């Protein structure tokens, strides 16, 4: 008990001594009364590295989802990253979706948005019972949509196989 009391008394004395040591807050200077140099004002227009502009990225995601729900396959494909466009040709994307439009008319809703870096935002979305993943990449100052691997894999065997697979799994809406 004596040891604890001694420690508490020492802490109290130290707190009192530092608390009564001249001006505090904005008026406080360095020890010895020498004024500190002024903090330089931020230069106007200097970018602040506080994360990607998620709102711009989300605008692209929402536009992508609206285009898919509206059946505008060409413009939806046009928002893709160059890497994704190399994986799936526009004519194949349009053919598969025009023949078996699983996304048309069904609203796609964002479930989770996760900024990974200044150039990458990962998304989790829901369309009916289906949950999917994709990303947005900042490329050349512009956010582009990057479909997930399962979307790209669907088209990897060609449009006819993708259509056949959609039909065999009852994903095509009735005509």
């Amino acid at each position: 008990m004596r040891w604890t009391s001694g420690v508490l008394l020492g802490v109290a004395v130290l707190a009192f001594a530092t608390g009564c040591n001249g001006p505090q807050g904005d008026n406080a200077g360095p020890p010895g009364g020498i004024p500190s140099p002024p903090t330089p004002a931020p230069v106007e227009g200097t970018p602040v590295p506080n994360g990607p502009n998620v709102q711009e990225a989300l605008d692209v995601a929402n536009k992508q989802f609206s285009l898919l729900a509206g059946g505008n396959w060409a413009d939806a494909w046009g928002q893709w990253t160059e890497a994704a466009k190399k994986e799936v040709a526009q004519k194949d994307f349009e053919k598969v979706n025009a023949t078996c439009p699983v996304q048309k008319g069904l609203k796609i809703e964002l479930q989770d948005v996760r900024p990974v870096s200044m150039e990458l935002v990962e998304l989790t979305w829901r369309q009916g019972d289906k949950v999917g993943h994709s990303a947005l990449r900042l490329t050349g100052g512009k956010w582009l949509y990057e479909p997930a691997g399962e979307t790209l894999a669907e088209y990897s065997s060609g449009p006819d196989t993708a259509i056949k697979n959609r039909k065999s799994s009852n994903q095509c809406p009735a005509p």
Side-chain angles (χ1 to χ4, degrees):
M1 177 105 171
R2 288 178 168 233
W3 182 83
T4 310
S5 299
V7 170
L8 291 175
L9 181 61
V11 169
V13 169
L14 182 61
F16 179 75
T18 58
C20 297
N21 193 18
Q24 301 296 315
D26 291 341
N27 296 327
I34 302 170
S36 58
T39 305
V43 177
E44 187 142 340
T46 303
V48 179
N50 62 351
N53 186 335
V54 175
Q55 186 57 54
E56 284 181 11
L58 292 179
D59 290 346
V60 170
N62 287 320
K63 182 176 180 185
Q64 175 72 200
F65 297 153
S66 293
L67 291 170
L68 291 170
N72 189 338
W73 316 122
D75 286 347
W77 183 89
Q79 283 195 300
W80 285 15
T81 61
E82 290 304 314
K85 288 178 181 178
K86 288 178 183 176
E87 294 282 327
V88 180
Q90 181 176 357
K91 65 180 176 54
D92 294 347
F93 182 74
E94 289 183 40
K95 179 179 179 179
V96 171
N97 287 293
T99 305
C100 186
V102 295
Q103 290 131 337
K104 188 174 181 182
L106 294 176
K107 185 175 181 182
I108 302 171
E109 298 174 341
L110 287 171
Q111 298 294 299
D112 187 35
V113 177
R114 191 170 68 91
V116 176
S117 70
M118 294 296 285
E119 295 85 25
L120 179 66
V121 175
E122 292 181 346
L123 306 173
T124 301
W125 47 265
R126 176 181 296 280
Q127 182 183 33
D129 292 336
K130 180 182 179 183
V131 174
H133 304 279
S134 55
L136 299 160
R137 287 199 180 272
L138 186 62
T139 307
K142 183 178 178 183
W143 286 100
L144 298 172
Y145 185 78
E146 185 172 80
E150 66 263 11
T151 299
L152 300 175
E154 179 183 20
Y155 296 91
S156 66
S157 297
D160 295 331
T161 302
I163 293 167
K164 179 181 161 193
N165 291 341
R166 283 185 180 185
K167 286 182 177 181
S168 68
S169 62
N170 294 321
Q171 292 182 33
C172 291

